[in-house]
Amino acid sequence: METDERSARESVVAAARAMDAQGLNRGTSGNVSLRFRDRLLITPSGLPTARMGPDDVVPLKFDGTHPPDQRPSSEWRFHRDILASRPELAAVVHAHPIHSTAFAMCGREIPAVHYMIAAFGGPNVRCAPYAAYGTAELSELALAALAGRNVCLLANHGMIAAGESLEKALWLAFELETLCQQYAVALQVGAPMILSDHEIGQIVERFRGYGLNASKP
């Protein structure tokens, strides 16, 4: 195995473990993928991150084929379809964190209750309608919910975050879970104020040089 592929595989394992450490995942739920040359590298099916190593990461071609002795995550289809349709993205993470999943279970989108929503690309975070996990239908619904966005919720399921790097995708996933937690608390306090689309549009532009975007050329 070439050194750069080994490094890429190690970064996928590290990202999967980081989701556990940040409380975004538990057990064998959740999955991570990274674009690598003409394919993607994706976490395997049903293997706890504590036992996962670089050799367990599955190389998946964009036609859906993979080594016969390896099983990619059951959600490989939307990972593949997102990266195939969004060339500006390099990594996808999927998780079932408590607050994001709670809103997904209610089929609720997240409105502009905080300016940080602009980090996700627009004035809301959409919730894709329900479809069974691992299906082409779920992938199509996820792609629609991600139009103009880099995160979405999946009804009765969880969340997706995609970025120009694994670091960015993980950052977005954590920010989405934080926003969902804040929104859940705000709903208990009263009626959250919603920022206007115009205001969020201005923040989207300002965020192009914020945080993990600042180092981009």
Side-chain angles (χ1 to χ4, degrees):
M1 186 183 300
E2 298 178 10
T3 301
D4 55 347
E5 181 175 350
R6 185 78 180 182
S7 177
R9 287 168 173 263
E10 289 172 348
S11 68
V12 170
V13 174
R17 291 178 177 168
M19 287 203 295
D20 285 356
Q22 294 176 354
L24 296 176
N25 264 337
R26 291 173 174 80
T28 60
S29 66
N31 27 76
V32 176
S33 67
L34 175 66
R35 189 190 301 276
F36 182 76
R37 297 180 181 170
D38 62 346
R39 64 195 65 198
L40 57 146
L41 301 174
I42 189 167
T43 48
S45 176
L47 184 64
T49 57
R51 291 168 43 201
M52 191 184 301
D55 292 335
D56 298 309
V57 174
V58 183
L60 179 72
K61 294 182 179 180
F62 281 92
D63 63 6
T65 59
H66 56 84
D69 59 339
Q70 289 185 291
R71 289 182 60 200
S73 164
S74 59
E75 301 291 13
W76 66 267
R77 192 180 300 275
F78 67 60
H79 284 265
R80 187 273 309 271
D81 291 349
I82 291 168
L83 293 178
S85 64
R86 300 278 297 271
E88 78 278 14
L89 300 175
V92 177
V93 299
H94 166 58
H96 305 163
I98 297 296
H99 297 87
S100 299
T101 303
F103 281 105
M105 290 164 69
C106 295
R108 293 181 61 169
E109 73 169 32
I110 309 302
V113 289
H114 193 286
Y115 70 80
M116 276 301 292
I117 203 165
F120 309 134
N124 66 340
V125 174
R126 304 184 189 99
C127 183
Y130 177 77
Y133 76 90
T135 61
E137 182 184 6
L138 177 61
S139 182
E140 292 171 3
L141 293 169
L143 286 175
L146 284 167
R149 305 286 187 274
N150 44 30
V151 304
C152 73
L153 301 179
L154 304 174
N156 304 92
H157 188 158
M159 56 91 86
I160 294 173
E164 300 91 341
S165 66
L166 269 176
E167 183 184 18
K168 182 66 178 290
L170 282 170
W171 181 77
L172 289 166
F174 189 76
E175 289 297 327
L176 176 57
E177 174 61 7
T178 299
L179 179 58
C180 287
Q181 183 175 10
Q182 293 166 335
Y183 185 34
V185 173
L187 287 170
Q188 296 176 59
V189 173
M193 296 185 295
I194 309 298
L195 296 172
S196 69
D197 288 359
H198 175 71
E199 179 63 27
I200 296 303
Q202 291 183 318
I203 300 297
V204 167
E205 290 302 314
R206 294 178 65 181
F207 270 12
R208 296 190 190 282
Y210 175 84
L212 291 177
N213 291 322
S215 60
K216 293 174 60 180

